[in-house]
Amino acid sequence: MKLRGTLIGFTAILMWSLLALMTAASGTMPPFQLAAITFAIGSLPGVLLLAVKPERIKLLRQPPKVWLIGIGGLFGYHALYFTALRNAPAVEAGLIAYLWPLLIVVGSALLPGERLRWFHVAGAVAGLAGTFAIISRSGLNFDPAYLVGYGAAFLCAFTWSGYSLLTRRFEAVSTDVVTGFCLATSALSFLCHLALETTVWPANGSEWAAVIGLGLLPVGAAFYAWDYGVKNGDIQILGAASYAAPLLSTLILTLFGFAEPSLRIGLACLLITGGAMLAAKEMIRRKPNPAPAE
């Protein structure tokens, strides 16, 4: 059961590594419109399950704080993420957004019963150095053309790390509630789109495929897989594996032509990924507890 949960959770990491590629390939659809459509698609697996097993609808009854944290995390993260990739180069915005594993490790070290160690600080410094390598495209001169994109990516990282740390308190909540989070996020995004944006539809079949792919995988199935994985699998292994996401995302973007290989990007990727792994040193090296003697 634990191995199965871990493997299912790992598929979420693989799907999230496609998020930047599919967002970049989806055309020029405004961020809130894109979130509204993709989260509506992402809710379909859960909606179908509830239609087949209506008795599970009662599992959606959760305290208001569960809904606030869940919707705030999903809605806030993706609104900021799509904004970032619409206003800055995809690989750079994606790498900044993927500071969230590092922020989770450093943040968890400050929780009651935990200690902030030297490698947490060293990892954070490495991550910041990698971020500086991204935003200083012209030496020490910050390029203001990407200010909105970089700023949204930073907020994105803090939003998802905050959401992840807060949801640790609700391990008993059923994965079915993710369906409600997706539906509510889609509705909120649609209202924001009507109020703030001009509708832009995909220009061709490949852009439509990217939008549908977003909804089915990184903005859909990934959330169900991650929720199931962290509740039923080995969360230490999943946490360590998540630090590969920025590296995988950058490699995929470069492979599909959305980024040019460069020493600066390679250095940034190394610093951010390596910093996150250094900060998680204890978790990665932690040995599983031995089974109790019969």
Side-chain angles (χ1 to χ4, degrees):
M1 182 68 173
K2 197 167 188 177
L3 175 60
R4 179 188 174 199
T6 304
L7 292 174
I8 290 174
F10 185 69
T11 64
I13 299 168
L14 296 179
M15 287 186 275
W16 282 333
S17 68
L18 297 172
L19 183 60
L21 171 67
M22 291 183 172
T23 302
S26 65
T28 58
M29 186 182 291
F32 287 115
Q33 182 188 355
L34 183 60
I37 293 174
T38 53
F39 272 100
I41 296 172
S43 69
L44 292 178
V47 170
L48 291 174
L49 178 61
L50 293 176
V52 173
K53 298 182 177 181
E55 67 273 10
R56 300 184 70 88
I57 293 177
K58 65 182 180 181
L59 297 174
L60 299 180
R61 287 190 206 141
Q62 300 294 337
K65 58 186 177 183
V66 172
W67 287 96
L68 182 63
I69 292 171
I71 297 170
L74 269 63
F75 173 75
Y77 175 83
H78 287 86
L80 290 166
Y81 189 88
F82 293 150
T83 298
L85 266 71
R86 290 291 187 256
N87 292 276
V91 67
E92 298 176 1
L95 277 173
I96 294 173
Y98 273 121
L99 284 169
W100 62 261
L102 174 61
L103 294 175
I104 288 175
V105 173
V106 175
S108 63
L110 298 174
L111 294 175
E114 301 288 346
R115 286 191 303 160
L116 188 65
R117 305 285 298 279
W118 69 267
F119 44 84
H120 296 134
V121 177
V125 171
L128 290 175
T131 305
F132 179 78
I134 292 172
I135 64 177
S136 57
R137 295 167 60 88
S138 305
L140 295 177
N141 297 320
F142 173 73
D143 190 343
Y146 304 121
L147 177 61
V148 172
Y150 290 153
F154 271 118
L155 292 175
C156 189
F158 280 98
T159 298
W160 191 254
S161 59
Y163 163 78
S164 299
L165 289 169
L166 288 172
T167 51
R168 288 177 60 184
R169 300 171 55 193
F170 306 108
E171 293 181 1
V173 175
S174 170
T175 298
D176 293 81
V177 79
V178 174
T179 302
F181 294 162
C182 289
L183 287 170
T185 297
S186 177
L188 280 174
S189 300
F190 179 67
L191 292 175
C192 289
H193 168 64
L194 292 179
L196 302 171
E197 299 174 338
T198 300
T199 300
V200 177
W201 295 108
N204 51 51
S206 62
E207 290 184 3
W208 271 114
V211 171
I212 294 170
L214 273 171
L216 292 176
L217 297 174
V219 185
F223 293 116
Y224 299 93
W226 184 253
D227 189 85
Y228 183 88
V230 297
K231 290 174 180 174
N232 298 280
D234 190 319
I235 195 169
Q236 279 80 29
I237 292 177
L238 289 173
S242 69
Y243 306 127
L247 176 61
L248 289 173
S249 179
T250 301
L251 291 175
I252 290 170
L253 282 167
T254 304
L255 181 64
F256 281 85
F258 285 93
E260 291 293 330
S262 72
L263 181 61
R264 179 176 61 87
I265 292 299
L267 176 63
C269 192
L270 178 64
L271 286 168
I272 290 174
T273 306
M277 294 185 69
L278 175 62
K281 180 172 73 74
E282 276 190 340
M283 183 180 69
I284 294 172
R285 296 176 60 185
R286 186 176 298 158
K287 295 181 180 179
N289 293 326
E294 295 294 336

